[in-house]
Amino acid sequence: MRIARTTRVLVVFGIILILMITSSLAEGNSSFCDEKCAVRCSKAGRQDRCLKYCGICCDKCQCVPSGTYGNKDECPCYRDMKNSKGGPKCP
């Protein structure tokens, strides 16, 4: 009975530890995307829309082309993502 309780406590502790580690990794990536997208969208007319789609693309591709426009060959995944109408998804 006592062994089962100890095992349960260790399992719960392990799950909490894994959640904390994955959460910190996700925050690190979010910061990367936030910074890159802020640069990419700095001159956009609709910054809110630009930041939204840039963030989606960055999360999936793990890269954002340099500059505020063009340079999409630096990031093929980012370049090749399409919206529902077949146009480019990423700004």
Side-chain angles (χ1 to χ4, degrees):
M1 183 83 165
R2 186 167 176 91
I3 293 174
R5 177 181 269 171
T6 304
T7 303
R8 226 180 287 158
V9 169
L10 288 174
V11 168
V12 170
F13 178 74
I15 290 171
I16 291 170
L17 184 62
I18 289 169
L19 289 173
M20 288 173 56
I21 291 170
T22 56
S23 174
S24 68
L25 292 175
E27 287 175 13
N29 184 41
S30 178
S31 176
F32 167 80
C33 289
D34 290 348
E35 290 174 22
K36 294 289 188 176
C37 288
V39 172
R40 183 80 179 168
C41 296
S42 63
K43 294 184 179 179
R46 298 284 311 264
Q47 281 198 348
D48 56 339
R49 183 179 292 175
C50 183
L51 290 169
K52 174 184 176 182
Y53 288 107
C54 181
I56 291 169
C57 296
C58 180
D59 284 341
K60 183 168 183 169
C61 298
Q62 300 302 307
C63 66
V64 175
S66 61
T68 57
Y69 184 80
N71 303 321
K72 289 188 177 181
D73 287 336
E74 296 174 0
C75 239
C77 169
Y78 190 97
R79 175 194 66 212
D80 297 338
M81 287 184 71
K82 303 292 182 198
N83 63 22
S84 61
K85 296 178 183 176
K89 181 178 190 108
C90 309

